[in-house]
Amino acid sequence: MDAMSGPHVIRGSVSLPEAELMWRFSRSSGPGGQHVNTSDSQVELRFDLARTEALPEVWKQRALERLAGRLVDGVVTVRASEHRSQWRNRETAAVRLASLLAEATAPPPKPRRPTRIPRGINERRLREKKQRSDTKRGRTGRDWG
């Protein structure tokens, strides 16, 4: 990763607008020794989904529906505190937000078209079932001893 790896692409030509990202830094729990008490390495990234102009309207509606449970006043929040460096946490948060939005704006899957099972396959299945049932019927202990 080179210096703040450019715009984080959501899908196609749409990417996260740097101007609309709200960053907040705070002290992180976890690894870091004495260093952790003095540095603000935890990153909180907020993106105002309800008011953004960066996403096509259709995508925006889709995302607002799908992320409804995660939104607070139309704002989606992502946190990252795995890394010791704030810079790497910023990267992680931005990538996480981009993939979250990519998932939330994806078009719904195409409906499944029902297909018919070929007759031969169905017949073979029934034949094998019958054979199995005969095998099992042959195991009953009537004629033993």
Side-chain angles (χ1 to χ4, degrees), residues 11-70:
R11 204 167 53 255
S13 60
V14 181
S15 57
L16 282 175
E18 197 59 50
E20 293 186 28
L21 301 179
M22 294 166 278
W23 298 93
R24 216 169 85 207
F25 309 101
S26 55
R27 293 191 184 153
S28 176
S29 60
Q34 288 117 332
H35 172 76
V36 85
N37 305 323
T38 58
S39 64
D40 291 347
S41 60
Q42 176 172 292
V43 170
E44 190 178 280
L45 174 57
R46 302 172 69 211
F47 179 67
D48 196 338
L49 189 56
R51 288 196 260 297
T52 185
E53 298 295 316
L55 298 178
E57 196 54 42
V58 188
W59 287 23
K60 197 157 101 171
Q61 289 314 315
R62 222 180 268 154
L64 285 168
E65 271 170 41
R66 290 189 187 163
L67 298 175
R70 282 195 65 153

